[in-house]
Amino acid sequence: MTMKSRIAEQIKIAAGVDFSQIEIESWIEKPKFSTMGDFAFPCFRLAKEFKKAPNLIAAEIAQTFKLKEVERTEAVGGYLNFYLDLPLYSAKVLKEVIDKRAGYGQKDLGKGKSISIDLSSPNIAKPFSMGHLRSTVIGNALANVTEKLGYKVIRINHIGDWGTQFGKLITAYQKWGSEEQVKTSPIAELHKLYVYFHEQAELNPSLDDEARVWFKRLEDGDEEAVRLWEWFRKVSLEAFSAVYEKLNISFDSFNGEAFYNDKMNDVIAMLEDEGLIEESEGARVVRLDDEGLPPCLIQKRDGATLYATRDLAAAFYRKREYSFEKSLYVVGNEQSLHFKQLKAILKKLNILWAEDLVHISFGMMLKDGKKMSTRKGKIVLLEKVLEQSTALAAEAIEEKNPNLKEKQQVAEAVGIGAIMFHDLKVFRQNDVHFELKDMLRFEGETGPYVQYAHARACSILRKAAVKDSSFSNSKVAPASFGEEERAIVMKISAFEEVIEEAFAEWDPSKIAKYAIDLAQLFNQYYAHTHILNELDEEVKAQRLLLLESITIVLKESLRLLGIQAPEEM
Ligand code: ARG
């Protein structure tokens, strides 16, 4: 139980009120300054129930409140402030961190429940866009956070491998493609063909008809169409795997759009049974006027299905297969209408779990104020971006620590970590301004800053050669701790709460900000405090213990964000 919940429990007992402990806990605040206590309870919350002024309530609770780690309480201005016994509390918090290590902050909130997360989901035969990178990075961080709280997480890569565009691609390949070139650089070549098709189709609209015919053949299982499609899919997935390997991300399922081909008739039949399907200019739609939404296209005139149809089938499949408690879709803002329609249709079908579908939307990746786009042949190749970032990190390392072992590995961890951190440190709805130089700075709110703080603390520990379990056996409470240590211990003890907040709001930036705060506190501390050359052995041991706890929590924060924490850099 966190300190906050234990204080809430005792307030409940001392005040003898009807509110739940959880409710009381949600009212407890963290004062801005530690002179006002480590926690504070605003007593006006109970004023109605008590029919008394808050300052009297505070004084009353103070009289009977008892908790070992709380040294004293003080009733001020309607608040009851709690001052922790710093040595006792620090000993407790740090021991827990050292004992649990990476397991610190873990909970079993989600035990026996599962949450599916649809993330990354690039389109085959197209470059992996910056939007897909955002989805991958945000989705993976949310998956880690969700797992940390005890849920079973299913990471689904809903590959875009179906749709009329494959009719266009096959047409283009048949007309202008070369097997040789596709084999050498598959994505670039297929993308080029696709772009070329569009240019040509503007001059010659009959190409679009040809493409429609090819897609229909594909849907009907025509041998040649399927052969080409399978090939495009295979080479694309191979290229994507290289990216995932670099990002250190894996998936539980690659069931993409095509997977639902044989599962759509059921959905369409359901819609028909409920009388929800209407004809509109030969096509079939579900009207959503009463929801204030435009109609959703379910089937084209020629029987071809759409993105939305496949997502409907996927929603049912996932519910059946994973019995999710929540089903997340980490997809950019520009698809919010699509997900609104999806939910609205499920609601029309009286599906109770429609509310459990959550669109985790996010802003754009901007370069020089403009969208980093993949349209019209203007492609930003993600592999290139990752390479560049790694090269810049390697330069920085060369300058800072030329004798470092495993330089290349560290450069990758820093270069790629920098991009991920930069993406995750702001609330996901905001746009991200892509500027490699800013992301890679070792000062300021960057990934390298946090990684470097971690590596620095590790290096001090190495020099002091503390064993992993040095503290767990010791019973001494760190009596030497003062205000700076207090701030660090309080930060460390807030970890669990931060994870829960990140989960509740689907917001990994909470973790990134937390990591920056902790890294800053460490750097300030390190600048003011002797550690290795502290003469009092006991004081030194207490400081090392604090440092070791910091490394554990920084590393785990980075891990939740999907970022590595090299021990040396
Ligand atoms: N492939 C889609 C795109 O790139 C994203 C798919 C998101 N997931 C989903 N179930 N619709 O726009």
Side-chain angles (χ1 to χ4, degrees), residues 115-159:
I115 291 186
S116 64
I117 306 189
D118 180 316
L119 75 162
S120 198
S121 310
N123 303 316
I124 67 167
K126 278 197 189 172
F128 196 105
S129 76
M130 285 298 163
H132 295 120
L133 177 67
R134 290 213 71 189
S135 167
T136 312
V137 168
I138 295 168
N140 184 55
L142 287 177
N144 292 338
V145 164
T146 306
E147 262 165 356
K148 180 92 178 164
L149 295 179
Y151 289 88
K152 178 174 166 42
V153 172
I154 303 101
R155 291 170 170 79
I156 304 169
N157 197 330
H158 188 77
I159 297 282

Side-chain angles (χ1 to χ4, degrees), residues 205-330:
S206 76
L207 279 171
D208 280 323
D209 297 327
E210 270 182 67
R212 260 190 291 277
V213 172
W214 267 114
F215 183 56
K216 189 77 184 84
R217 282 173 70 175
L218 185 59
E219 285 210 306
D220 294 341
D222 170 275
E223 203 176 311
E224 176 66 359
V226 170
R227 183 185 68 82
L228 285 172
W229 171 79
E230 276 176 350
W231 179 43
F232 298 157
R233 186 176 196 275
K234 181 168 156 281
V235 291
S236 304
L237 284 184
E238 279 163 7
F240 297 152
S241 302
V243 170
Y244 296 136
E245 214 162 284
K246 277 210 158 34
L247 299 176
N248 205 1
I249 284 169
S250 56
F251 299 89
D252 301 295
S253 159
F254 280 90
N255 287 340
E257 294 186 45
F259 177 77
Y260 299 99
N261 274 341
D262 59 356
K263 300 172 182 61
M264 277 179 294
N265 285 341
D266 290 354
V267 176
I268 294 171
M270 237 190 286
L271 293 169
E272 281 166 349
D273 288 350
E274 291 292 321
L276 295 175
I277 293 219
E278 275 178 43
E279 301 281 321
S280 167
E281 295 166 35
R284 311 181 78 199
V285 304
V286 174
R287 289 201 158 277
L288 299 167
D289 304 0
D290 40 355
E291 306 277 337
L293 297 172
C296 182
L297 191 52
I298 295 291
Q299 213 166 14
K300 288 192 189 170
R301 195 192 302 249
D302 61 5
T305 56
L306 291 106
Y307 183 55
T309 329
R310 294 186 279 278
D311 254 331
L312 274 170
F316 282 102
Y317 176 83
R318 290 173 190 176
K319 185 64 187 178
R320 256 197 327 272
E321 194 68 13
Y322 309 123
S323 46
F324 57 71
E325 190 184 80
K326 291 266 183 252
S327 174
L328 312 187
Y329 297 83
V330 189

